[in-house]
Amino acid sequence: MYLLNITIGLFGLLIGSFLNVVIFRVPRGESIVTPGSHCPTCRHALRFWELIPVLSFMLQKGVCRNCQAEISWRYPLVELLTGILFYITATLKLSTEINPARLLLNLIFVAVLVALSLIDLDTFRLPDALTLPLLGIGILGAFFIPGNPGGWESVFSALGAGGIFWGIARIYPQGMGLGDVKLVAALGAFLGFPAIFLAVFIGSFVGAFTGIFLLLLGRQRFRQQIPFGPFLAVGAYLTLLWGTQIFTWYWG
């Protein structure tokens, strides 16, 4: 089991490398398939030894081999983050679930959350190209893959949570966009009821705490907008892994 978890973690490094492409290209409306990976400065096409997650960055000392342009530290950090999250997810889920299809569904969920979080931090947008497929995958997975939530629970959780947030966005559009509404609906499809509301509560709490902390540091002005997507993603991930235990503790 330990070897399998390590393998899934290493696979997460590769997925993280792909997510870097998604994070860079999707907000620009570019294809994530063509052209192949290249330096954004000189357009140098990257060879396979320049695409090894984390290791290539270290061997190249953080610069492009062709033009010597600096490569952002965020690229290896996204790869490491995705690998670690995949490893943790596999370790915890394989101890309680034996359905590999459900685990794969959870890993897809985690990967898209990573991409959406970084895109929201960069652009204050949650693109339909990711939120709507995530919603569809969550509902289809609930219907066809045994586990929780079930199909209709997934549908009603998505409609309920998405509908509530749609109402909030209509009343207070400055504080919440439709991208957040679609993301919450997708989270509802994956997490079900009442877990979706735990995820939103955790995300709101972490977001409020972070906002206050940034205000105290002088890094944020009062009423200045901050992206909500990353905090929703944190709440969703924690709920995915420990939601059952949290509810058991609370009601116990």
Side-chain angles (χ1 to χ4, degrees):
M1 187 70 71
Y2 178 74
L3 181 60
L4 177 60
N5 295 341
I6 290 292
T7 302
I8 292 174
L10 293 175
F11 177 66
L13 293 177
L14 296 174
I15 296 298
S17 181
F18 172 70
L19 292 182
N20 279 320
V21 176
V22 173
I23 293 164
F24 183 83
R25 297 189 186 185
V26 167
R28 294 168 172 79
E30 300 176 3
S31 169
I32 61 174
V33 179
T34 59
S37 297
H38 56 271
C39 171
T41 302
C42 68
R43 314 294 293 184
H44 161 66
L46 301 183
R47 301 173 180 86
F48 75 90
W49 60 82
E50 297 173 284
L51 293 170
I52 304 172
V54 182
L55 184 60
S56 291
F57 180 87
M58 297 173 61
L59 293 176
Q60 295 173 210
K61 299 179 180 179
V63 297
C64 172
R65 292 172 63 90
N66 188 61
C67 69
Q68 303 304 304
E70 185 176 347
I71 302 171
S72 172
W73 272 94
R74 197 169 80 172
Y75 289 104
L77 289 179
V78 169
E79 293 164 354
L80 279 173
L81 174 64
T82 309
I84 291 170
L85 293 180
F86 270 41
Y87 173 77
I88 294 173
T89 304
T91 300
L92 295 179
K93 286 297 182 181
L94 285 176
S95 64
T96 58
E97 295 182 9
I98 59 175
N99 190 327
R102 177 63 64 168
L103 175 61
L104 177 61
L105 188 69
N106 289 335
L107 295 178
I108 293 172
F109 183 54
V110 171
V112 178
L113 289 182
V114 171
L116 284 169
S117 297
L118 272 295
I119 290 173
D120 201 16
L121 285 172
D122 287 342
T123 67
F124 288 86
R125 294 184 60 195
L126 294 165
D128 289 349
L130 294 179
T131 55
L132 295 182
L134 186 65
L135 172 61
I137 291 170
I139 292 174
L140 289 174
F143 272 106
F144 293 106
I145 300 175
N148 290 316
W152 289 111
E153 179 186 348
S154 174
V155 171
F156 290 126
S157 296
L159 289 174
I164 291 172
F165 270 68
W166 179 82
I168 295 173
R170 293 281 291 181
I171 297 170
Y172 184 49
Q174 296 84 1
M176 182 166 302
L178 290 179
D180 296 312
V181 174
K182 296 165 190 172
L183 175 57
V184 168
L187 300 185
F190 270 89
L191 299 174
F193 177 84
I196 175 57
F197 294 107
L198 175 62
V200 171
F201 173 78
I202 294 173
S204 301
F205 178 82
V206 174
F209 181 83
T210 303
I212 293 171
F213 184 69
L214 292 176
L215 280 172
L216 294 176
L217 290 179
R219 301 288 299 275
Q220 186 83 12
R221 297 190 303 274
F222 187 67
R223 292 189 180 279
Q224 182 180 352
Q225 185 181 12
I226 60 173
F228 192 31
F231 303 113
L232 285 173
V234 169
Y237 185 71
L238 294 178
T239 301
L240 176 71
L241 297 186
W242 293 290
T244 301
Q245 292 89 329
I246 292 173
F247 281 119
T248 299
W249 167 80
Y250 181 79
W251 294 112

